[in-house]
């Protein structure tokens, strides 16, 4: 394989730049030319493609976001549109494509590979919502961003002896909520994967108040309810001063942590190795037990999430 391309797609995540940098520089070290596609599949269809050299990826390893930009491209769900994309890649001499993104982007890569081009997905999403892998790029940075905010909220909540409800990202996957609750010392965590009793929560908050705790912190994943609504409920039910904080898009930004940069660099290398060693394939790379591995995209997308009930119970035991 002499020429490959790389794009970022779907929601951005800190560490995507480190992954692209690794793909570009490792491929060049193996004598492979690399094209960068801007704005995901949308940019591919519109020919937003440039040659990347070592300097093209200078000074991006510590920058959040994605310098290639990202976009959603709904028409990519149509076969005839993917056929056009394949023709564009073929015309440019591209034999392999690396896609950094989430499950939607991987599905696009899998379907594109059916035309006869190799594709490899690198997991980039802050939610950690890809069950085939222990880890997705951006999760660690987002987690630390949440913890930084929680730390600041603790100061003001303690001074006013308030209850804080912090809503974090995670529509179907509560990992950001779960891990930030554990690392932030929350009274409770509410996730989409597990039922939750609001009356018990109120009782727990009252108990901790009785134990002279100055404030209570509850972490709520966005897919499990609304912070505003829960705040109103607690205030009306037990009369404690309660405030909602919705962290929103702040969680997507920031300097990627060392862990995200290291994982991104390792997975970028692996993606290139797969393209160089396999015939036409559709693979994903991921992390299992701290090691980089790969598997077929088709298999990876079938794997269902296994909720970590032990971790959930631990949060509740460490209150
Ligand atoms: P993520 O990759 O973060 O899950 P999306 O679900 O928005 O984000 O998917 C990103 C892009 O991947 C979409 O805009 C579309 O171009 C492509 N894509 C998503 N689902 C499919 C699909 N079923 N078939 C083909 N392409 C898809």
């Amino acid at each position: 394989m002499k020429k490959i391309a790389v794009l970022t797609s779907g929601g951005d995540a800190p560490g995507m730049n480190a992954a692209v940098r690794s793909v570009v520089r490792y491929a060049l070290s193996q004598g492979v030319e690399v094209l960068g596609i801007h704005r995901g599949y949308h940019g591919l269809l519109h020919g937003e493609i440039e040659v990347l050299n070592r300097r093209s990826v200078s000074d991006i390893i510590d920058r959040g976001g994605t310098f290639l930009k990202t976009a959603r491209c709904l028409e990519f769900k149509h076969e005839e549109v993917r056929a056009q994309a394949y023709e564009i890649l073929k015309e440019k001499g591209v034999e392999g494509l690396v896609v950094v993104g989430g499950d939607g982007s991987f599905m696009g890569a899998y379907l594109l590979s059916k035309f006869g081009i190799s594709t490899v997905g690198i997991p980039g999403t802050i939610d950690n919502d890809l069950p085939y892998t222990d880890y997705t790029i951006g999760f660690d940075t987002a987690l630390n961003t949440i913890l930084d905010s929680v730390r600041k909220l603790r100061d003001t909540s303690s001074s006013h002896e308030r209850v804080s409800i912090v809503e974090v990202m995670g529509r179907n996957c509560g990992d950001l909520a779960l891990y930030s609750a554990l690392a932030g010392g929350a009274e409770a965590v509410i996730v989409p994967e597990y039922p939750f009793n609001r009356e018990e929560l109120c009782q727990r908050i009252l108990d901790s108040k009785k134990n002279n705790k100055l404030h209570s912190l509850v972490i709520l994943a966005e897919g499990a309810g609304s912070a505003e609504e829960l705040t109103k409920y607690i205030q009306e039910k037990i009369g404690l001063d309660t405030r909602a904080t919705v962290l929103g898009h702040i969680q997507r930004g920031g300097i990627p942590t060392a862990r995200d940069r290291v994982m991104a660099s390792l997975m970028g290398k692996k993606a290139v190795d797969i393209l160089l060693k396999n015939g036409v394939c559709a693979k994903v790379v991921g992390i299992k037990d701290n090691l980089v591995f790969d598997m077929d995209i088709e298999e990876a997308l079938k794997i269902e999430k296994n909720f970590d009930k032990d971790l959930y119970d631990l949060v509740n035991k460490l209150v």
Side-chain angles (χ1 to χ4, degrees), residues 108-298:
Y110 166 67
L111 295 172
L112 184 64
S113 74
K114 291 188 175 293
F115 291 93
I117 184 167
S118 293
T119 57
V120 181
I122 297 179
T125 151
I126 63 164
D127 292 344
N128 208 34
D129 59 351
L130 292 169
Y132 81 87
T133 176
D134 289 345
Y135 194 77
T136 63
I137 298 166
F139 178 69
D140 191 57
T141 305
L143 186 54
N144 280 289
T145 301
I146 294 169
L147 290 172
D148 183 49
S149 305
V150 162
R151 173 85 272 291
K152 287 170 178 153
L153 275 170
R154 194 184 283 273
D155 291 342
T156 171
S157 299
S158 300
S159 303
H160 288 270
E161 297 177 73
R162 276 181 186 141
V163 180
S164 275
I165 312 292
V166 179
E167 186 180 311
V168 303
M169 282 189 172
R171 272 192 219 115
N172 307 307
C173 173
D175 280 11
L176 277 176
L178 198 54
Y179 283 81
S180 59
L182 184 66
E187 251 60 50
V189 60
I190 309 176
V191 292
E193 296 97 331
Y194 203 74
F196 190 77
N197 184 320
R198 296 199 297 186
E199 287 191 16
E200 274 176 25
L201 172 66
C202 289
Q203 192 51 53
R204 195 184 296 177
I205 292 170
L206 286 175
D207 289 347
S208 73
K209 185 99 184 145
K210 264 192 228 140
N211 285 329
N212 296 324
K213 245 192 137 171
L214 289 178
H215 79 112
S216 291
L217 169 69
V218 178
I219 307 268
L220 168 75
E222 63 176 334
S226 136
E228 292 290 347
E229 201 258 324
L230 184 61
T231 297
K232 210 161 151 255
Y233 174 85
I234 293 171
Q235 227 152 230
E236 281 169 8
K237 188 91 181 162
I238 53 178
L240 289 182
D241 191 5
T242 307
R243 298 294 161 95
T245 305
V246 180
L247 293 182
H249 277 85
I250 278 180
Q251 295 162 93
R252 282 198 185 281
I255 298 169
T257 59
R259 182 160 163 77
D260 274 330
R261 293 184 217 178
V262 169
M263 293 300 173
S265 302
L266 294 176
M267 289 197 273
K269 175 207 181 277
K270 179 78 169 179
V272 174
D273 276 339
I274 291 167
L275 290 177
L276 298 188
K277 283 184 194 137
N278 286 272
V280 173
C281 64
K283 301 257 184 202
V284 281
V285 296
I287 306 285
K288 265 274 171 280
D289 302 326
N290 277 322
L291 293 174
V292 183
F293 77 107
D294 66 272
M295 68 191 297
D296 289 339
I297 297 182
E298 200 182 5

Side-chain angles (χ1 to χ4, degrees), residues 1-23:
M1 199 172 279
K2 284 277 150 243
K3 198 188 275 184
I4 65 170
V6 58
L7 61 81
T8 53
S9 170
D12 67 314
M16 280 183 161
N17 280 329
V20 173
R21 173 183 179 273
S22 171
V23 168

Side-chain angles (χ1 to χ4, degrees), residues 50-68:
E50 62 164 338
V51 175
L52 298 178
N53 58 39
R54 299 186 78 80
R55 291 283 73 79
S56 316
V57 290
S58 293
D59 294 330
I60 62 166
I61 194 165
D62 57 0
R63 272 172 40 205
T66 159
F67 86 104
L68 284 178

